[in-house]
């Protein structure tokens, strides 16, 4: 039986709207998405980061040792180096070493007497990192400490603090604790940078699925934002990123006041 004229009209309207939407969004959509983000990241790295056999070797060794491919990207690594240079950092703390890829970028910013302490829970990852760091000629500059960061952080208060820059990139569930520790181990002017603070956009969903393959990660990072928002000793912002590593982001937080006694 033929459809009533009103229904045919409605269906035609729906088709026309869809056509118009495709015409408008088509070219934009074709240039969006992971493939294009990665292509642009390759272009940017080729233009601005250049041939870097040292960090390429670290990535290759990480892949050979079957480490997860969750390092920062080359452009992000260079950003970490530039931020450390801008701040004139002499002591840097990193939480979450993996194979030492971001450690190498950060350590490159240091003067000859500078020091990077990097904390890693997984002893196998830490060994890979030590090899990569030694091959990069940074063995004297970088110290890899093995153990859950919440166990190794207290040692640093007496030994190595205050740090001029702190890069938080370990387990996301503990980001709130890592922020508290960062404040303890900092001075006014310390820059705190945190990776993985957007998680493909999941951060806006109170009960979204875990973006970093880690139970409690999303809640940890959301709580981290709550602490940042409430912390008068910090001035912070967050930047969303797309690229080789998908859609995620960084928090940048500057310590503006001395730690509470
Ligand atoms: N910063 C690295 C990537 C780190 S991936 C880079 O960009 O190259 C996150 C790392 O945190 C992993 O190596 C993981 O083993 C480590 N990690 C997880 N839980 C941890 C904990 N409680 N303490 C210290 N490191 C931890
Ligand atoms: C993932 C990415 C990261 O940068 C990280 O530090 C941990 C996990 C991920 O994509 O799973
Ligand atoms: Mg990360």
């Amino acid at each position: 039986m033929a459809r009533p004229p009103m229904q045919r009209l409605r269906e035609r309207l729906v088709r026309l709207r869809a056509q118009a939407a495709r015409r408008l969004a088509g070219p934009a959509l074709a240039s969006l998405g992971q493939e294009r983000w990665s292509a642009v990241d390759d272009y940017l790295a080729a233009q601005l980061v250049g041939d870097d056999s040292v960090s390429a070797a670290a990535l290759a060794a990480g892949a050979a040792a079957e480490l997860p491919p969750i390092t920062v990207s080359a452009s992000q690594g260079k950003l970490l180096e530039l931020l450390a240079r801008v701040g004139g950092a002499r002591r840097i703390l990193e939480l979450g070493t993996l194979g030492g890829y971001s450690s190498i970028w950060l350590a490159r910013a240091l003067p000859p007497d500078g020091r990077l302490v990097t904390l890693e829970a997984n002893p196998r990852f830490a060994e890979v990192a030590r090899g990569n760091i030694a091959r990069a000629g940074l063995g004297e500059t970088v110290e890899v400490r093995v153990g859950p960061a919440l166990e190794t952080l207290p040692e640093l208060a007496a030994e190595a603090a205050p740090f001029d820059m702190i890069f938080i990139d370990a387990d996301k569930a503990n980001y709130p604790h890592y922020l508290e520790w960062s404040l303890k181990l900092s001075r006014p002017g310390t820059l705190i940078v945190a990776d993985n603070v957007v998680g493909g956009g999941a951060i806006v969903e109170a009960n979204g699925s875990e973006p970093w393959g880690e139970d409690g990660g999303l809640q940890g990072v959301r709580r981290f934002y709550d602490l940042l928002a409430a912390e008068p000793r910090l001035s912070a912002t967050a930047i969303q990123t797309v690229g080789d590593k998908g859609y995620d982001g960084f928090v940048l937080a500057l310590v503006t006041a001395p730690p509470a006694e």
Side-chain angles (χ1 to χ4, degrees):
M1 203 179 84
R3 287 162 300 177
M6 269 307 283
Q7 187 181 339
R8 287 213 311 270
L9 198 65
R10 265 202 304 275
E11 284 169 1
R12 187 168 148 69
L13 216 70
V14 166
R15 271 200 309 276
L16 283 172
R17 279 215 198 93
Q19 253 171 39
R22 267 199 303 278
R23 245 197 331 276
L24 287 171
L29 284 180
S31 69
L32 287 173
Q34 187 55 56
E35 214 176 301
R36 181 60 69 100
W37 300 342
S38 287
V40 172
D41 234 356
D42 288 347
Y43 174 83
L44 298 178
Q47 287 282 45
L48 304 177
V49 182
D51 281 338
D52 178 358
S53 58
V54 169
S55 61
L59 286 182
E66 295 183 3
L67 265 49
I70 54 173
T71 68
V72 295
S73 69
S75 301
Q76 291 170 345
K78 179 90 180 266
L79 173 67
L80 292 174
E81 181 192 344
L82 294 178
L83 288 171
R85 282 189 194 277
V86 166
R90 307 178 71 84
R91 299 171 186 219
I92 304 178
L93 172 64
E94 176 179 64
L95 289 74
T97 317
L98 193 66
Y101 181 76
S102 54
S103 320
I104 289 170
W105 278 110
L106 286 164
R108 281 174 168 158
L110 289 168
D113 62 343
R115 187 167 178 224
L116 168 73
V117 180
T118 180
L119 311 180
E120 174 55 52
N122 183 316
R124 192 174 74 81
F125 296 175
E127 267 322 295
V128 175
R130 287 192 180 117
N132 284 332
I133 289 161
R135 267 192 300 280
L138 294 163
E140 302 290 299
T141 307
V142 181
E143 183 197 347
V144 184
R145 287 206 188 188
V146 183
L150 287 178
E151 290 175 20
T152 51
L153 281 163
E155 302 164 4
L156 296 175
E159 287 176 37
F163 292 95
D164 308 311
M165 179 171 170
I166 301 176
F167 178 46
I168 302 176
D169 195 19
D171 50 322
K172 317 309 163 197
N174 278 319
Y175 270 32
H177 298 298
Y178 297 154
L179 186 63
E180 296 297 350
W181 270 107
S182 297
L183 280 165
K184 285 192 191 130
L185 300 174
S186 65
R187 54 159 176 86
T190 296
L191 179 67
I192 300 169
V193 180
D195 189 26
N196 310 112
V197 296
V198 172
I203 200 67
V204 296
E205 297 166 25
N207 296 300
S209 57
E210 293 294 348
W212 305 285
E214 180 201 317
D215 283 350
L218 185 59
Q219 283 320 307
V221 176
R222 283 176 59 91
R223 180 88 192 108
F224 174 76
Y225 278 110
D226 293 340
L227 292 178
L228 284 171
E231 179 51 68
R233 292 169 289 172
L234 291 172
S235 178
T237 190
I239 293 295
Q240 305 185 62
T241 58
V242 295
D244 210 26
K245 302 292 166 173
Y247 169 32
D248 217 315
F250 286 107
V251 154
L252 305 183
L254 183 68
V255 179
T256 55
E261 285 310 312

